[in-house]
Amino acid sequence: MHVRSFQLSDYRPVTQLLETVLSEECYELTMEAFARQLSWDSELVLVAVEEDEIIGMIIGTIDNNRGYYYRIAVHPDYQRQGVGKKLIQSLRGRFEQRNVAKILITADEHNEPILSLYESLGYATTDFFRSFQKLSIVAG
């Protein structure tokens, strides 16, 4: 397995992965964030590939010199095999290359079940960013 930056040809397999792994509500929110992040900085969207098949992905973003892990998804057949950890570590490397001041984990209701994964990698509850606003809503 290797981790690399998202490429345009990955769009269909990534959206299929997200449909498989995420609830309908989480999928809708994630697709909005995914599209925004691709338009801002696609280097912070990573995919895990095994034998030319996308088995996982992670979306990150940088805002005000802080790196955020937004959403991670790993195909059910590959869960609990280190794919998520590899994605998190790879994105952390991207954040470190850009000298972000702090790395935070978006801790919304959809990420709650996997916060222990981040804790196993050394993140503390103080690193969890809980926002009760939908960042995708634009006032107008």
Side-chain angles (χ1 to χ4, degrees):
M1 175 198 51
H2 72 283
V3 174
R4 62 168 170 75
S5 296
F6 174 87
Q7 300 168 357
L8 192 54
S9 61
D10 299 331
Y11 187 80
R12 183 178 297 266
V14 163
T15 56
Q16 289 172 340
L17 170 70
L18 293 173
E19 284 179 337
T20 300
V21 174
L22 306 178
S23 69
E24 187 175 328
E25 178 189 10
C26 184
Y27 174 81
E28 295 300 325
L29 293 171
T30 301
M31 288 306 292
E32 289 175 23
F34 178 46
R36 266 194 325 274
Q37 190 56 41
L38 288 178
S39 71
W40 291 337
D41 186 349
S42 62
E43 291 294 309
L44 297 177
V45 178
L46 304 178
V47 294
V49 181
E50 177 77 39
E51 296 180 14
D52 295 328
E53 180 184 351
I54 292 178
I55 60 170
M57 66 91 65
I58 191 166
I59 301 169
T61 194
I62 295 175
D63 186 31
N64 291 326
N65 202 31
R66 291 184 174 175
Y68 292 89
Y69 296 105
Y70 175 71
R71 187 78 69 223
I72 186 169
V74 176
H75 191 281
D77 294 346
Y78 293 91
Q79 290 177 1
R80 303 200 178 281
Q81 296 179 31
V83 176
K85 286 183 180 183
K86 179 86 170 161
L87 285 163
I88 291 166
Q89 291 165 338
S90 297
L91 186 53
R92 180 185 185 104
R94 300 276 171 109
F95 289 149
E96 289 172 350
Q97 287 172 349
R98 298 188 187 194
N99 299 311
V100 299
K102 183 151 181 69
I103 300 174
L104 298 167
I105 297 98
T106 303
D108 63 12
E109 64 190 274
H110 305 291
N111 281 345
E112 286 290 335
I114 61 158
L115 294 181
S116 59
L117 171 63
Y118 290 99
E119 289 174 327
S120 75
L121 290 169
Y123 292 95
T125 54
T126 54
D127 299 320
F128 299 155
F129 175 74
R130 290 180 166 85
S131 172
F132 299 99
Q133 296 178 330
K134 290 185 179 178
L135 301 176
S136 61
I137 294 177
V138 178

